[in-house]
Amino acid sequence: MTQYKSTLLRLLEERGYIHQLTDAEGLDKLASEGVVPGYIGFDPTAPSLHVGSMVQIMLLRRLQQAGHKPIVLMGGGTGKIGDPSFKDDARKLMTVDTIASNVASIRTVFERFLTFGDGPTDAVMVDNADWLDKLEYIPFLREVGQHFSVNRMLSFDSVKQRLDREQSLSFLEFNYMILQAYDFRELSERLGCRLQMGGSDQWGNIVNGIELTRRMDGKEVFGVTTPLLTTADGAKMGKTMNGAVWLNEDALPAYDFWQYWRNADDRDVGRFLRLFTDLPLDEIARLEALEGSEINAAKVVLANEVTKLVRGEDAARAAESTAAATFAGGGLGDDLPTLDVEGGEISIIDALIGLGFAGSRGEAKRLVAGGGARVDGVAVTNDSHAITLNGNEIRVSSGKKKHGVLRSR
RNA sequence: GGACAGGUGGCCGAGUGGUUAAAGGCAGCAGACUGUAAAUCUGCCCGCGCAAGCGUACGCUAGUUCGAAUCUAGCCCUGUCCA
Protein backbone atom coordinates (compact mmCIF):
# COMPACT_ATOMS: atom_id res chain seq x y z
CA MET A 1 0.00 0.00 0.00
CA THR A 2 2.76 2.41 0.76
CA GLN A 3 4.61 2.26 -2.52
CA TYR A 4 2.49 3.61 -5.28
CA LYS A 5 3.66 3.57 -8.86
CA SER A 6 1.63 6.50 -10.03
CA THR A 7 2.71 10.08 -9.52
CA LEU A 8 -0.81 10.91 -8.47
CA LEU A 9 -1.11 8.56 -5.55
CA ARG A 10 2.42 9.17 -4.42
CA LEU A 11 1.78 12.90 -4.42
CA LEU A 12 -1.49 12.56 -2.55
CA GLU A 13 -0.04 10.11 -0.06
CA GLU A 14 3.04 12.08 0.85
CA ARG A 15 1.14 15.32 1.27
CA GLY A 16 -1.53 13.83 3.48
CA TYR A 17 -4.65 13.89 1.35
CA ILE A 18 -5.64 10.28 1.56
CA HIS A 19 -8.09 8.94 4.05
CA GLN A 20 -9.70 6.11 2.15
CA LEU A 21 -9.38 4.62 -1.33
CA THR A 22 -11.89 2.33 -2.94
CA ASP A 23 -9.36 0.30 -4.87
CA ALA A 24 -5.81 1.46 -4.32
CA GLU A 25 -4.21 -0.95 -6.72
CA GLY A 26 -6.67 -0.41 -9.51
CA LEU A 27 -6.46 3.33 -9.26
CA ASP A 28 -2.69 3.26 -9.01
CA LYS A 29 -2.53 1.26 -12.19
CA LEU A 30 -5.00 3.48 -14.00
CA ALA A 31 -3.21 6.65 -12.98
CA SER A 32 0.15 5.38 -14.08
CA GLU A 33 -1.15 4.44 -17.50
CA GLY A 34 -2.79 7.62 -18.67
CA VAL A 35 -4.82 10.68 -17.96
CA VAL A 36 -7.50 10.16 -15.35
CA PRO A 37 -10.38 12.60 -15.32
CA GLY A 38 -11.49 13.08 -11.72
CA TYR A 39 -14.08 15.28 -10.09
CA ILE A 40 -15.14 16.80 -6.85
CA GLY A 41 -18.54 18.30 -6.21
CA PHE A 42 -19.12 21.65 -4.52
CA ASP A 43 -22.43 22.84 -3.17
CA PRO A 44 -23.30 26.45 -3.89
CA THR A 45 -24.69 27.16 -0.45
CA ALA A 46 -22.98 30.53 -0.16
CA PRO A 47 -21.53 33.13 -2.51
CA SER A 48 -18.05 31.96 -1.60
CA LEU A 49 -16.40 28.76 -0.55
CA HIS A 50 -14.42 28.88 2.65
CA VAL A 51 -11.26 27.37 3.97
CA GLY A 52 -13.10 24.18 4.80
CA SER A 53 -13.41 23.43 1.09
CA MET A 54 -9.82 24.16 0.37
CA VAL A 55 -8.56 20.63 0.81
CA GLN A 56 -10.86 19.55 -1.97
CA ILE A 57 -9.80 22.40 -4.21
CA MET A 58 -6.17 21.59 -3.59
CA LEU A 59 -6.89 17.99 -4.33
CA LEU A 60 -8.05 18.97 -7.80
CA ARG A 61 -4.91 21.04 -8.16
CA ARG A 62 -2.77 18.05 -7.24
CA LEU A 63 -4.65 15.97 -9.73
CA GLN A 64 -3.72 18.42 -12.43
CA GLN A 65 -0.14 18.66 -11.20
CA ALA A 66 0.11 14.91 -11.53
CA GLY A 67 -0.95 15.15 -15.15
CA HIS A 68 -4.63 14.37 -14.91
CA LYS A 69 -7.84 16.18 -15.67
CA PRO A 70 -9.74 17.97 -12.92
CA ILE A 71 -13.48 18.36 -13.22
CA VAL A 72 -15.18 20.85 -10.97
CA LEU A 73 -18.76 19.88 -10.42
CA MET A 74 -20.98 22.66 -9.20
CA GLY A 75 -23.99 21.33 -7.40
CA GLY A 76 -26.45 23.71 -8.96
CA GLY A 77 -28.98 20.90 -9.16
CA THR A 78 -28.30 19.06 -5.93
CA GLY A 79 -28.10 22.40 -4.19
CA LYS A 80 -31.83 22.62 -4.69
CA ILE A 81 -32.16 19.66 -2.37
CA GLY A 82 -29.52 19.86 0.30
CA ASP A 83 -27.20 17.24 1.66
CA PRO A 84 -28.68 15.52 4.68
CA SER A 85 -25.28 14.40 5.79
CA PHE A 86 -24.64 14.97 9.43
CA LYS A 87 -26.70 18.12 9.48
CA ASP A 88 -28.84 18.66 12.49
CA ASP A 89 -31.71 20.09 10.64
CA ALA A 90 -32.93 20.26 7.14
CA ARG A 91 -31.20 23.00 5.28
CA LYS A 92 -33.56 25.71 4.24
CA LEU A 93 -34.21 25.44 0.59
CA MET A 94 -32.44 28.04 -1.44
CA THR A 95 -34.13 29.87 -4.22
CA VAL A 96 -33.08 29.11 -7.74
CA ASP A 97 -31.75 32.64 -8.18
CA THR A 98 -29.58 32.41 -5.11
CA ILE A 99 -28.08 29.18 -6.31
CA ALA A 100 -27.32 30.59 -9.72
CA SER A 101 -25.61 33.64 -8.33
CA ASN A 102 -23.64 31.56 -5.85
CA VAL A 103 -22.44 29.30 -8.63
CA ALA A 104 -21.25 32.28 -10.63
CA SER A 105 -19.44 33.77 -7.67
CA ILE A 106 -17.74 30.57 -6.60
CA ARG A 107 -16.58 29.89 -10.11
CA THR A 108 -13.98 32.66 -10.01
CA VAL A 109 -12.02 31.08 -7.18
CA PHE A 110 -11.19 27.97 -9.12
CA GLU A 111 -9.36 29.88 -11.77
CA ARG A 112 -6.62 30.56 -9.27
CA PHE A 113 -6.07 26.93 -8.52
CA LEU A 114 -6.59 25.25 -11.85
CA THR A 115 -5.77 25.79 -15.47
CA PHE A 116 -8.95 25.68 -17.48
CA GLY A 117 -9.14 25.01 -21.17
CA ASP A 118 -9.78 22.43 -23.84
CA GLY A 119 -6.58 20.42 -23.57
CA PRO A 120 -6.55 16.85 -22.30
CA THR A 121 -5.43 17.80 -18.82
CA ASP A 122 -7.13 21.17 -18.68
CA ALA A 123 -9.71 21.65 -16.01
CA VAL A 124 -13.38 21.95 -16.83
CA MET A 125 -16.34 23.06 -14.81
CA VAL A 126 -19.78 21.58 -15.09
CA ASP A 127 -23.03 22.13 -13.28
CA ASN A 128 -25.20 19.17 -12.42
CA ALA A 129 -28.29 21.30 -12.94
CA ASP A 130 -27.55 20.67 -16.61
CA TRP A 131 -28.74 17.12 -16.29
CA LEU A 132 -30.60 16.93 -13.00
CA ASP A 133 -33.08 19.64 -13.92
CA LYS A 134 -34.19 17.68 -16.93
CA LEU A 135 -34.73 14.36 -15.25
CA GLU A 136 -38.11 12.80 -15.67
CA TYR A 137 -39.39 11.05 -12.64
CA ILE A 138 -40.65 7.80 -14.03
CA PRO A 139 -37.76 7.10 -16.42
CA PHE A 140 -35.35 8.02 -13.68
CA LEU A 141 -36.95 5.65 -11.22
CA ARG A 142 -36.84 2.85 -13.74
CA GLU A 143 -33.26 3.37 -14.81
CA VAL A 144 -31.66 4.51 -11.60
CA GLY A 145 -34.07 3.80 -8.80
CA GLN A 146 -34.02 0.09 -9.36
CA HIS A 147 -30.36 -0.03 -8.41
CA PHE A 148 -30.85 1.39 -4.96
CA SER A 149 -31.85 -0.57 -1.93
CA VAL A 150 -33.60 1.45 0.71
CA ASN A 151 -32.40 -0.96 3.36
CA ARG A 152 -28.90 -0.16 2.30
CA MET A 153 -29.44 3.56 2.11
CA LEU A 154 -30.78 3.57 5.63
CA SER A 155 -27.55 2.04 6.79
CA PHE A 156 -25.39 4.89 5.53
CA ASP A 157 -23.99 7.06 8.24
CA SER A 158 -25.30 10.29 6.83
CA VAL A 159 -28.84 8.96 7.06
CA LYS A 160 -28.42 6.81 10.12
CA GLN A 161 -27.21 9.65 12.25
CA ARG A 162 -30.26 11.67 11.42
CA LEU A 163 -32.56 8.79 12.22
CA ASP A 164 -30.74 7.86 15.39
CA ARG A 165 -31.00 11.36 16.67
CA GLU A 166 -34.71 11.20 16.00
CA GLN A 167 -34.52 14.13 13.66
CA SER A 168 -36.65 14.40 10.64
CA LEU A 169 -35.21 13.47 7.31
CA SER A 170 -37.41 14.46 4.45
CA PHE A 171 -37.81 12.37 1.35
CA LEU A 172 -36.34 15.29 -0.55
CA GLU A 173 -33.08 15.04 1.34
CA PHE A 174 -33.13 11.29 1.26
CA ASN A 175 -32.90 11.57 -2.52
CA TYR A 176 -29.76 13.59 -2.37
CA MET A 177 -27.53 10.55 -2.22
CA ILE A 178 -29.17 9.04 -5.24
CA LEU A 179 -28.68 12.16 -7.27
CA GLN A 180 -25.11 12.38 -6.14
CA ALA A 181 -24.46 8.87 -7.23
CA TYR A 182 -26.13 9.66 -10.49
CA ASP A 183 -23.74 12.58 -10.99
CA PHE A 184 -20.77 10.26 -10.99
CA ARG A 185 -22.36 8.00 -13.52
CA GLU A 186 -23.35 10.96 -15.67
CA LEU A 187 -19.82 12.40 -15.59
CA SER A 188 -18.41 9.05 -16.52
CA GLU A 189 -20.71 9.04 -19.54
CA ARG A 190 -20.16 12.63 -20.57
CA LEU A 191 -16.53 13.21 -19.78
CA GLY A 192 -15.09 9.78 -19.24
CA CYS A 193 -14.64 10.59 -15.58
CA ARG A 194 -13.07 7.75 -13.64
CA LEU A 195 -12.53 9.19 -10.22
CA GLN A 196 -14.49 10.98 -7.58
CA MET A 197 -12.80 12.59 -4.64
CA GLY A 198 -14.24 14.28 -1.58
CA GLY A 199 -14.20 14.65 2.16
CA SER A 200 -14.53 11.58 4.33
CA ASP A 201 -18.17 12.45 4.88
CA GLN A 202 -18.71 11.81 1.20
CA TRP A 203 -17.57 8.21 1.34
CA GLY A 204 -21.06 6.80 1.21
CA ASN A 205 -22.05 8.99 -1.70
CA ILE A 206 -18.92 8.10 -3.60
CA VAL A 207 -19.37 4.39 -3.09
CA ASN A 208 -22.96 4.68 -4.27
CA GLY A 209 -21.79 6.42 -7.42
CA ILE A 210 -19.23 3.75 -8.11
CA GLU A 211 -21.78 1.00 -7.71
CA LEU A 212 -24.37 2.75 -9.80
CA THR A 213 -21.89 3.27 -12.62
CA ARG A 214 -20.92 -0.35 -12.51
CA ARG A 215 -24.49 -1.58 -12.47
CA MET A 216 -25.75 0.68 -15.20
CA ASP A 217 -22.78 0.68 -17.54
CA GLY A 218 -20.45 -2.01 -16.30
CA LYS A 219 -17.71 0.58 -15.97
CA GLU A 220 -15.15 0.61 -13.23
CA VAL A 221 -14.61 3.91 -11.48
CA PHE A 222 -12.76 4.91 -8.33
CA GLY A 223 -13.04 6.97 -5.21
CA VAL A 224 -10.71 8.79 -2.84
CA THR A 225 -11.61 10.58 0.36
CA THR A 226 -9.60 13.05 2.37
CA PRO A 227 -9.39 13.04 6.14
CA LEU A 228 -11.81 15.29 7.94
CA LEU A 229 -9.74 18.34 8.54
CA THR A 230 -9.80 19.79 11.97
CA THR A 231 -7.42 22.15 13.62
CA ALA A 232 -5.19 20.74 16.31
CA ASP A 233 -7.58 21.80 19.03
CA GLY A 234 -10.35 19.85 17.41
CA ALA A 235 -12.41 22.54 15.75
CA LYS A 236 -13.60 22.28 12.22
CA MET A 237 -11.44 24.24 9.89
CA GLY A 238 -12.45 27.54 8.53
CA LYS A 239 -14.65 28.90 11.26
CA THR A 240 -13.08 31.52 13.43
CA MET A 241 -13.17 34.99 14.79
CA ASN A 242 -15.65 36.84 12.67
CA GLY A 243 -17.21 33.81 11.10
CA ALA A 244 -16.03 31.74 8.22
CA VAL A 245 -12.73 32.21 6.48
CA TRP A 246 -13.97 32.90 2.99
CA LEU A 247 -11.92 32.43 -0.10
CA ASN A 248 -13.50 35.22 -2.13
CA GLU A 249 -11.89 38.61 -1.75
CA ASP A 250 -15.20 40.42 -1.42
CA ALA A 251 -16.22 38.14 1.44
CA LEU A 252 -13.06 38.49 3.52
CA PRO A 253 -10.24 41.01 3.17
CA ALA A 254 -6.87 39.58 2.23
CA TYR A 255 -5.30 40.83 5.43
CA ASP A 256 -7.76 38.84 7.55
CA PHE A 257 -7.26 35.84 5.35
CA TRP A 258 -3.51 36.10 5.84
CA GLN A 259 -3.96 36.46 9.59
CA TYR A 260 -5.98 33.28 9.74
CA TRP A 261 -2.99 31.29 8.57
CA ARG A 262 -0.50 33.32 10.53
CA ASN A 263 -2.42 32.35 13.67
CA ALA A 264 -2.40 28.65 12.96
CA ASP A 265 -1.77 26.29 15.83
CA ASP A 266 1.88 25.21 16.08
CA ARG A 267 0.89 21.62 15.61
CA ASP A 268 -0.91 22.34 12.36
CA VAL A 269 1.87 24.13 10.54
CA GLY A 270 3.48 21.17 8.84
CA ARG A 271 0.24 19.58 7.87
CA PHE A 272 -1.12 22.80 6.46
CA LEU A 273 2.03 23.51 4.50
CA ARG A 274 1.80 20.11 2.86
CA LEU A 275 -1.88 20.39 2.10
CA PHE A 276 -2.22 24.01 1.14
CA THR A 277 1.02 25.09 -0.45
CA ASP A 278 3.17 23.90 -3.31
CA LEU A 279 6.39 24.15 -1.32
CA PRO A 280 8.67 21.15 -1.75
CA LEU A 281 8.51 18.59 1.01
CA ASP A 282 12.07 19.01 2.19
CA GLU A 283 11.48 22.71 2.63
CA ILE A 284 8.36 21.95 4.61
CA ALA A 285 10.23 19.47 6.75
CA ARG A 286 12.75 22.16 7.58
CA LEU A 287 10.06 24.69 8.46
CA GLU A 288 8.03 22.42 10.65
CA ALA A 289 11.08 21.38 12.59
CA LEU A 290 11.50 24.90 13.94
CA GLU A 291 11.20 25.01 17.69
CA GLY A 292 9.49 27.38 20.07
CA SER A 293 8.87 30.86 18.80
CA GLU A 294 10.91 30.14 15.70
CA ILE A 295 7.91 28.36 14.30
CA ASN A 296 6.41 31.80 13.77
CA ALA A 297 8.65 32.12 10.74
CA ALA A 298 7.04 29.02 9.32
CA LYS A 299 3.61 30.48 9.96
CA VAL A 300 4.53 33.56 7.99
CA VAL A 301 5.61 31.36 5.11
CA LEU A 302 2.38 29.45 5.38
CA ALA A 303 0.33 32.64 5.37
CA ASN A 304 2.26 34.06 2.45
CA GLU A 305 2.03 30.96 0.33
CA VAL A 306 -1.64 30.31 0.88
CA THR A 307 -2.59 33.93 0.42
CA LYS A 308 -0.54 34.05 -2.75
CA LEU A 309 -2.38 31.09 -4.10
CA VAL A 310 -5.86 32.20 -3.17
CA ARG A 311 -5.59 35.98 -3.45
CA GLY A 312 -2.53 36.59 -5.56
CA GLU A 313 1.03 37.69 -5.04
CA ASP A 314 0.26 41.36 -4.41
CA ALA A 315 -2.35 40.65 -1.79
CA ALA A 316 0.02 38.36 0.04
CA ARG A 317 2.83 40.89 0.05
CA ALA A 318 0.56 43.71 1.20
CA ALA A 319 -0.82 41.58 4.00
CA GLU A 320 2.60 40.56 5.16
CA SER A 321 3.97 44.07 5.25
CA THR A 322 0.91 45.34 7.06
CA ALA A 323 1.32 42.59 9.62
CA ALA A 324 5.00 43.33 10.03
CA ALA A 325 4.39 47.04 10.50
CA THR A 326 1.51 46.50 12.88
CA PHE A 327 2.87 43.79 15.10
CA ALA A 328 6.60 44.17 15.04
CA GLY A 329 6.73 47.91 14.57
CA GLY A 330 3.64 48.85 16.55
CA GLY A 331 2.76 51.05 13.61
CA LEU A 332 0.21 51.02 10.88
CA GLY A 333 -0.22 49.19 7.64
CA ASP A 334 -2.22 49.87 4.53
CA ASP A 335 -4.32 46.78 4.83
CA LEU A 336 -5.81 47.55 8.21
CA PRO A 337 -9.45 48.47 8.42
CA THR A 338 -9.78 52.22 8.17
CA LEU A 339 -12.38 54.66 9.37
CA ASP A 340 -12.61 58.18 8.02
CA VAL A 341 -13.44 60.60 10.79
CA GLU A 342 -15.28 63.82 10.15
CA GLY A 343 -14.48 66.84 12.29
CA GLY A 344 -11.28 65.56 13.83
CA GLU A 345 -12.85 63.92 16.84
CA ILE A 346 -14.64 60.67 17.55
CA SER A 347 -15.68 58.78 20.64
CA ILE A 348 -13.93 55.55 21.43
CA ILE A 349 -17.26 53.73 21.21
CA ASP A 350 -18.04 55.01 17.72
CA ALA A 351 -14.52 54.26 16.60
CA LEU A 352 -14.75 50.64 17.72
CA ILE A 353 -18.10 50.20 16.02
CA GLY A 354 -17.01 52.01 12.90
CA LEU A 355 -13.98 49.79 12.53
CA GLY A 356 -16.10 46.70 12.94
CA PHE A 357 -14.63 45.65 16.27
CA ALA A 358 -17.96 45.82 18.05
CA GLY A 359 -21.43 45.09 16.79
CA SER A 360 -23.34 47.35 19.14
CA ARG A 361 -22.71 50.17 21.54
CA GLY A 362 -23.12 47.82 24.46
CA GLU A 363 -20.52 45.47 23.07
CA ALA A 364 -18.11 48.34 22.51
CA LYS A 365 -18.59 49.48 26.08
CA ARG A 366 -17.96 46.05 27.43
CA LEU A 367 -14.81 45.87 25.40
CA VAL A 368 -13.63 49.14 26.89
CA ALA A 369 -14.68 48.15 30.39
CA GLY A 370 -12.78 44.91 30.03
CA GLY A 371 -9.60 46.74 29.15
CA GLY A 372 -9.47 45.44 25.60
CA ALA A 373 -9.61 48.74 23.76
CA ARG A 374 -6.44 50.63 22.93
CA VAL A 375 -5.69 53.92 21.25
CA ASP A 376 -2.20 54.08 19.84
CA GLY A 377 -1.31 51.18 22.07
CA VAL A 378 -2.59 52.74 25.27
CA ALA A 379 -5.51 51.06 26.97
CA VAL A 380 -8.62 53.19 27.29
CA THR A 381 -10.91 52.27 30.15
CA ASN A 382 -13.25 55.22 30.11
CA ASP A 383 -16.01 54.61 27.61
CA SER A 384 -16.76 58.29 27.15
CA HIS A 385 -13.21 58.88 25.99
CA ALA A 386 -12.98 61.00 22.88
CA ILE A 387 -10.17 60.63 20.40
CA THR A 388 -8.78 63.77 18.85
CA LEU A 389 -6.99 63.28 15.58
CA ASN A 390 -5.25 66.58 14.88
CA GLY A 391 -4.87 65.48 11.33
CA ASN A 392 -2.88 62.40 12.31
CA GLU A 393 -3.64 58.78 11.79
CA ILE A 394 -4.58 57.09 15.01
CA ARG A 395 -4.34 53.42 15.69
CA VAL A 396 -7.26 51.81 17.50
CA SER A 397 -7.05 48.23 18.65
CA SER A 398 -9.38 45.63 20.04
CA GLY A 399 -7.24 43.25 21.98
CA LYS A 400 -3.80 42.46 20.77
CA LYS A 401 -4.63 41.25 17.33
CA LYS A 402 -7.27 43.45 15.82
CA HIS A 403 -6.04 46.82 14.75
CA GLY A 404 -7.56 49.61 12.73
CA VAL A 405 -6.78 53.12 11.60
CA LEU A 406 -8.64 56.38 12.15
CA ARG A 407 -7.99 58.95 9.49
CA SER A 408 -9.32 62.48 9.43
CA ARG A 409 -11.11 63.72 6.44
C1' G B 1 -56.83 9.78 11.55
C1' G B 2 -55.55 8.21 17.01
C1' A B 3 -52.22 7.91 21.49
C1' C B 4 -47.89 9.73 23.67
C1' A B 5 -43.51 12.99 23.87
C1' G B 6 -41.53 17.53 22.44
C1' G B 7 -40.60 22.93 20.18
C1' U B 8 -36.27 27.78 25.42
C1' G B 9 -30.92 32.75 23.85
C1' G B 10 -25.45 31.11 17.96
C1' C B 11 -25.68 25.66 19.54
C1' C B 12 -26.68 21.94 23.52
C1' G B 13 -29.68 22.03 27.73
C1' A B 14 -32.21 23.36 32.83
C1' G B 15 -36.49 25.78 34.26
C1' U B 16 -43.44 24.13 35.14
C1' G B 17 -47.23 31.05 38.02
C1' G B 18 -43.75 36.13 40.63
C1' U B 19 -37.08 36.61 43.64
C1' U B 20 -36.22 34.52 35.45
C1' A B 21 -33.01 38.63 30.57
C1' A B 22 -34.11 33.01 31.98
C1' A B 23 -29.14 27.67 35.75
C1' G B 24 -25.19 24.92 33.45
C1' G B 25 -22.14 23.63 29.25
C1' C B 26 -20.08 24.69 24.30
C1' A B 27 -18.83 28.41 20.90
C1' G B 28 -17.45 33.71 20.85
C1' C B 29 -15.01 38.38 22.87
C1' A B 30 -11.52 40.58 26.31
C1' G B 31 -7.63 40.39 30.46
C1' A B 32 -3.25 37.76 32.74
C1' C B 33 0.74 34.40 31.09
C1' U B 34 3.24 33.91 26.10
C1' G B 35 5.70 33.49 20.62
C1' U B 36 0.03 37.36 16.78
C1' A B 37 0.77 29.44 19.24
C1' A B 38 -1.26 25.85 22.81
C1' A B 39 -2.75 24.91 27.78
C1' U B 40 -4.40 27.37 32.20
C1' C B 41 -6.76 31.09 35.24
C1' U B 42 -10.15 35.63 35.30
C1' G B 43 -14.03 38.83 33.38
C1' C B 44 -17.85 39.64 29.63
C1' C B 45 -21.53 37.50 26.56
C1' C B 46 -30.13 40.45 23.66
C1' G B 47 -30.67 45.87 22.26
C1' C B 48 -30.92 51.19 23.83
C1' G B 49 -29.39 54.27 28.06
C1' C B 50 -24.11 57.51 32.27
C1' A B 51 -27.79 55.62 35.31
C1' A B 52 -32.55 54.64 37.38
C1' G B 53 -34.84 52.33 33.65
C1' C B 54 -37.04 51.08 28.98
C1' G B 55 -37.72 47.78 24.79
C1' U B 56 -37.59 43.08 22.93
C1' A B 57 -37.19 37.40 23.95
C1' C B 58 -38.83 31.05 25.65
C1' G B 59 -43.02 27.64 18.00
C1' C B 60 -47.70 30.96 16.50
C1' U B 61 -52.41 33.19 18.03
C1' A B 62 -56.06 34.21 21.50
C1' G B 63 -57.20 33.81 26.67
C1' U B 64 -56.98 33.11 32.41
C1' U B 65 -54.31 36.03 36.12
C1' C B 66 -52.31 41.88 39.81
C1' G B 67 -48.37 38.86 37.35
C1' A B 68 -47.07 33.53 32.31
C1' A B 69 -41.28 30.58 29.35
C1' U B 70 -44.36 28.35 33.11
C1' C B 71 -51.88 27.59 33.28
C1' U B 72 -56.13 27.17 29.21
C1' A B 73 -57.84 26.83 23.98
C1' G B 74 -56.88 26.69 18.87
C1' C B 75 -53.16 26.37 15.22
C1' C B 76 -48.21 25.17 13.05
C1' C B 77 -43.91 22.01 13.25
C1' U B 78 -40.98 17.47 14.93
C1' G B 79 -40.38 12.54 16.86
C1' U B 80 -42.18 7.58 18.63
C1' C B 81 -46.00 4.05 18.47
C1' C B 82 -50.92 2.55 16.53
C1' A B 83 -54.53 2.58 12.29
Side-chain angles (χ1 to χ4, degrees):
Chain A
M1 283 286 275
T2 11
Q3 270 319 329
Y4 293 117
K5 288 179 301 192
S6 61
T7 327
L8 175 66
L9 288 188
R10 256 185 283 131
L11 181 65
L12 296 187
E13 170 78 18
E14 67 195 11
R15 299 194 80 111
Y17 290 94
I18 298 179
H19 179 242
Q20 282 171 292
L21 292 168
T22 52
D23 174 5
E25 265 175 57
L27 180 58
D28 193 35
K29 185 157 178 289
L30 186 73
S32 54
E33 284 168 352
V35 174
V36 179
Y39 88 97
I40 298 179
F42 295 87
D43 275 350
T45 45
S48 168
L49 295 174
H50 57 79
V51 166
S53 303
M54 235 182 103
V55 201
Q56 323 309 334
I57 302 176
M58 285 303 290
L59 198 50
L60 285 176
R61 184 180 170 85
R62 301 298 181 214
L63 187 73
Q64 191 163 44
Q65 284 170 345
H68 302 285
K69 185 181 187 68
I71 299 167
V72 181
L73 175 68
M74 295 306 303
T78 33
K80 290 169 192 163
I81 289 186
D83 186 354
S85 301
F86 317 106
K87 298 269 174 352
D88 288 342
D89 297 296
R91 181 186 290 164
K92 332 106 214 80
L93 288 179
M94 293 182 292
T95 67
V96 175
D97 286 349
T98 308
I99 294 171
S101 91
N102 287 349
V103 167
S105 159
I106 289 170
R107 191 166 249 146
T108 60
V109 173
F110 285 93
E111 281 156 23
R112 293 197 175 273
F113 290 87
L114 304 169
T115 308
F116 286 86
D118 300 322
T121 66
D122 282 341
V124 293
M125 181 176 280
V126 290
D127 186 338
N128 63 11
D130 289 350
W131 54 86
L132 294 183
D133 280 359
K134 293 186 203 123
L135 285 181
E136 289 173 16
Y137 198 59
I138 299 299
F140 181 76
L141 283 180
R142 288 174 58 97
E143 283 166 36
V144 177
Q146 65 162 321
H147 298 295
F148 283 87
S149 142
V150 172
N151 314 45
R152 181 101 198 286
M153 289 202 286
L154 290 174
S155 76
F156 279 99
D157 257 6
S158 55
V159 170
K160 209 167 61 182
Q161 281 194 19
R162 275 285 276 276
L163 297 178
D164 287 351
R165 279 188 274 173
E166 302 194 345
Q167 282 155 345
S168 131
L169 174 71
S170 67
F171 182 65
L172 178 84
E173 293 173 282
F174 189 56
N175 272 270
Y176 183 88
M177 63 199 310
I178 294 178
L179 294 181
Q180 245 227 236
Y182 183 72
D183 280 344
F184 198 174
R185 187 267 174 172
E186 190 69 20
L187 285 171
S188 121
E189 283 283 282
R190 289 176 176 235
L191 299 167
C193 182
R194 302 296 303 274
L195 172 67
Q196 180 180 184
M197 302 177 288
S200 55
D201 56 340
Q202 296 300 308
W203 180 252
N205 289 330
I206 292 174
V207 169
N208 275 330
I210 291 173
E211 285 178 9
L212 181 66
T213 309
R214 197 189 59 236
R215 286 182 189 161
M216 288 182 71
D217 310 318
K219 284 186 193 149
E220 194 187 9
V221 292
F222 303 88
V224 175
T225 58
T226 55
L228 176 67
L229 249 213
T230 53
T231 53
D233 50 10
K236 255 188 210 151
M237 266 202 86
K239 302 263 181 195
T240 22
M241 346 184 274
N242 309 315
V245 182
W246 302 107
L247 299 184
N248 283 26
E249 174 74 43
D250 51 13
L252 182 75
Y255 175 73
D256 293 329
F257 185 82
W258 191 92
Q259 282 294 331
Y260 174 76
W261 297 99
R262 173 59 185 79
N263 282 303
D265 191 301
D266 285 8
R267 295 164 288 178
D268 289 328
V269 173
R271 200 158 50 106
F272 287 178
L273 282 167
R274 270 186 290 277
L275 289 169
F276 301 118
T277 74
D278 287 337
L279 290 180
L281 290 173
D282 49 358
E283 172 73 1
I284 292 174
R286 188 183 68 75
L287 287 170
E288 79 177 320
L290 294 172
E291 299 273 341
S293 61
E294 306 239 298
I295 194 106
N296 284 335
K299 292 184 189 178
V300 171
V301 174
L302 174 68
N304 281 341
E305 289 298 312
V306 181
T307 307
K308 211 193 289 177
L309 192 53
V310 178
R311 299 298 180 78
E313 182 100 41
D314 293 346
R317 237 197 310 264
E320 185 189 9
S321 71
T322 292
T326 318
F327 286 94
L332 301 167
D334 299 336
D335 263 12
L336 295 178
T338 301
L339 181 66
D340 288 321
V341 177
E342 308 264 6
E345 191 176 289
I346 187 169
S347 74
I348 181 69
I349 300 299
D350 289 334
L352 290 168
I353 293 171
L355 288 166
F357 296 157
S360 67
R361 297 181 59 78
E363 195 181 327
K365 280 180 197 166
R366 274 180 241 122
L367 183 65
V368 172
R374 272 163 240 248
V375 174
D376 275 336
V378 181
V380 171
T381 47
N382 173 7
D383 62 25
S384 53
H385 181 84
I387 303 166
T388 314
L389 282 86
N390 289 328
N392 298 319
E393 292 192 328
I394 304 270
R395 165 162 132 150
V396 174
S397 316
S398 161
K400 300 223 172 77
K401 289 190 203 166
K402 286 186 265 182
H403 306 287
V405 182
L406 299 183
R407 196 171 281 163
S408 50
R409 189 166 53 178

